[in-house]
Amino acid sequence: MDFKADAQRMEKIVSLCKRRGFIFQSSEIYGGLNGAWDYGPLGVELKRNVKNYWWRVMVHERDDSDLMVDCRLTGKRFRADQIPAQSGTVYRFDQARDVIPPESAFEILVSWAADLLPPGESVSRKDSIRLALLVSDHRKFNLPKSNTTPLSIYEFFVEFAKKMSSQPDISENEVDDFLQAYNSPPPETVSGDSIRLLQRKGEDKATILKRAEAFYQLRNIHVPMMWPTTEDVTDSRDFNAENGAELTPPRPFNLMFRTNIGATESEDSIAYLRPETAQSIFVQFKNILEVSRKKLPFGIAQIGKAFRNEINPRNFTFRSREFEQMELEYFCRAEEGMKLLDYWLEERLKFYENIGISRGRLHVKTVPDEERAFYSKGTYDIEFDFPFGFQELEGVAYRTDYDLLQHQKASGKSLEYFDEETKQRFVPHVVEPSAGVDRTVLALICEAYSEDEAPDEKGKMETRLVLRFHPRMAPIKCGIFPLLKNNNQLVAKAKEIVGLLRTHMNVFYDESGAIGRRYRRQDEIGTPFGVTVDFETLGEKDAALRDTVTLRERDSMKQKRVAIKDLAGILSARIS
Ligand code: GAP
């Protein structure tokens, strides 16, 4: 694996997404909201295509699936106290020992930097950066080394430097120097800085050492130059084995977003944004069973938002704090569970192939016993070959009857199914294919991104950036171009074609710039077809060609002549 090439590829993808309006960072004009993303005009179309196709194959084209109400808030009564614990899903991270989220770390750093200044003066970026360097020595924060999980210290300090760049008193070079220094921080310099940072003009060494000692002791920062540790410690879990830093006691980390419902904030009004769509399906199982009168096996499907306060959102949209899931809970008899697990794995792999993700880029991981949730009898992870490595796109899990049993116990309501034929009552088992909309969109963009060579206006070869989306997924299906924008007849004919096609698909009319440039603009956003209205369309050269257009294919760049009346049929067959 070529890490550099892959990182560059990812960078280009992120930049294209912003430049062409697929995905923007949330609240960017205010400095950005970590772990949240907004979809631009093309991103929204792409996302909609993914969800619509999932809905089509998982619900409309099946006799055994039903849709599910969309409910986002989960009330305390049935949620906070019960579901996480009962469903077996771990929403609390006890292992998040002494890792401080970047936002808090940033605030603490700024407040420390402010301490160094006389009252009334603003925080100097320079001082803050030097302080950041100092504490980046993996001590007080005990942040893991760069490029380790769960928190990338490098990302944190890049973010830190970015925020500091809003301060007027430091140059871009100094920010760059800081980042470089951070990449390979020599420990002595960091320790030296720890003292220099606090030094006042003309102060002698003894005074500054005394003041520095008081400053750091008060903040419980270990500065090795002042307090070297030589003691060997074995069989202890109190220190970080990598850097010797003392660990704080474990702290619970709440993975769910808490809010209050209603006008008053009290213990009784606490609610949580749901961290997965699945649980509301189990909670509504009885109602849906009654209204749909389905027979086992059958599924309940839902697409909707989920919210998780991820410790370390990263890799663009891959790990976000707000995302969408497409989940199917497929209820069955116990004896069918393992067979259906394999059946759903194959169905889901077919889905990804049908939206344009090649099987070769997918990997099926059989989750080993020790990693599987205790209630699951079998789980597969479908992974995709992202530029940052093979990562989970979807989980397919046989969750047994665990969820329904837990809700039955907690609510006191029967969640049993009555089998008319055998006259038996039992709690059904469930197999769950659970996919992420945002991860699928990201996988589609990564899979589609490519660069090749094509001639420019003068026939000189140039690099062409093209998103090779499957036509079914492409945000815009067809670009429509009059050859010249100042010819009324060409423009009128092109607009007539827009009217003709727009009821069948999403099309885009473009009359500005040379035709080659218009093709390139559509290639870059993955539009699979382009229709050009030229003088032959008007029948000026050959009457037999009247009302025909040039149809260009994005991938092969081949062009052919087709009659306008056949366009809708030809294109619809390719995009359905
Ligand atoms: N109901 C089972 C469940 O929620 P999960 O593996 O936690 O299982 C299922 O989530 C899918 O949801 C993942 O495979 C992924 O596609 C998506 N997903 C989970 N956490 C996500 C996050 N923080 N950001 C984006 N997508 C996420």
Side-chain angles (χ1 to χ4, degrees), residues 90 152 233 246 266 299 381 398 508:
V90 183
S152 157
V233 180
E246 197 171 348
S266 69
D381 281 350
Y398 173 24
F508 186 76

Side-chain angles (χ1 to χ4, degrees), residues 276 308 310 318 320 325 327 392-393 432 434 436 439:
E276 59 171 358
R308 293 182 195 175
E310 297 283 2
F318 180 83
S320 309
Q325 289 186 314
E327 294 197 298
E392 181 188 325
L393 203 52
E432 174 199 67
S434 169
R439 285 192 191 173

Side-chain angles (χ1 to χ4, degrees), residues 271-427:
Y272 293 82
L273 299 188
R274 63 178 177 185
E276 59 171 358
T277 54
Q279 291 304 321
S280 43
I281 296 182
F282 297 124
V283 172
Q284 290 293 355
F285 173 76
K286 193 173 154 54
N287 278 335
I288 293 180
L289 189 62
E290 273 170 20
V291 295
S292 65
R293 294 165 44 236
K294 291 257 190 266
K295 289 205 163 42
L296 287 180
F298 72 93
I300 304 179
Q302 189 182 190
I303 297 179
K305 289 265 183 186
F307 303 84
R308 293 182 195 175
N309 191 13
E310 297 283 2
I311 295 183
N312 182 23
R314 71 197 147 102
N315 287 332
F316 200 21
T317 56
F318 180 83
R319 193 173 303 290
S320 309
R321 290 189 168 134
E322 176 187 0
F323 55 97
E324 267 182 289
Q325 289 186 314
M326 307 179 281
E327 294 197 298
L328 179 80
E329 303 303 324
Y330 197 74
F331 297 97
C332 61
R333 291 176 175 80
E335 57 275 22
E336 298 165 317
M338 288 309 280
K339 219 171 71 202
L340 283 169
L341 177 68
D342 287 339
Y343 164 80
W344 276 110
L345 173 66
E346 274 312 310
E347 286 295 294
R348 298 304 303 145
L349 288 170
K350 262 190 254 162
F351 169 87
Y352 289 112
E353 280 184 282
N354 287 340
I355 60 172
I357 295 179
S358 55
R359 191 79 165 229
R361 303 284 296 274
L362 295 171
H363 172 251
V364 177
K365 174 179 161 189
T366 306
V367 181
D369 290 355
E370 63 279 11
E371 285 178 31
R372 233 175 29 228
F374 67 92
Y375 52 81
S376 166
K377 278 202 174 158
T379 302
Y380 295 115
D381 281 350
I382 301 178
E383 298 178 329
F384 174 73
D385 187 7
F386 287 99
F388 42 86
F390 271 102
Q391 294 283 340
E392 181 188 325
L393 203 52
E394 165 158 359
V396 185
Y398 173 24
R399 298 175 71 122
T400 66
D401 53 358
Y402 183 76
D403 300 274
L404 284 183
L405 278 181
Q406 297 309 307
H407 289 302
Q408 180 169 272
K409 206 161 104 194
S411 66
K413 305 273 176 352
S414 166
L415 297 179
E416 287 179 332
Y417 171 86
F418 178 65
D419 189 324
E420 303 275 359
E421 282 166 27
T422 62
K423 307 290 175 214
Q424 280 178 323
R425 265 180 206 286
F426 57 95
V427 171

Side-chain angles (χ1 to χ4, degrees), residues 518-534:
R518 284 183 260 169
Y519 285 153
R520 290 289 178 282
R521 286 202 288 263
Q522 293 305 310
D523 291 344
E524 210 182 52
I525 59 170
T527 306
F529 306 106
V531 162
T532 306
V533 177
D534 51 24

Side-chain angles (χ1 to χ4, degrees), residues 81-121:
D81 301 331
Q82 295 159 12
I83 292 180
Q86 285 149 17
S87 67
T89 313
V90 183
Y91 291 121
R92 286 180 182 278
F93 277 3
D94 279 344
Q95 69 270 36
R97 207 171 145 103
D98 83 341
V99 171
I100 299 181
E103 309 84 78
S104 325
F106 175 73
E107 271 166 31
I108 295 167
L109 281 177
V110 171
S111 75
W112 285 353
D115 281 357
L116 301 172
L117 296 170
E121 269 188 39

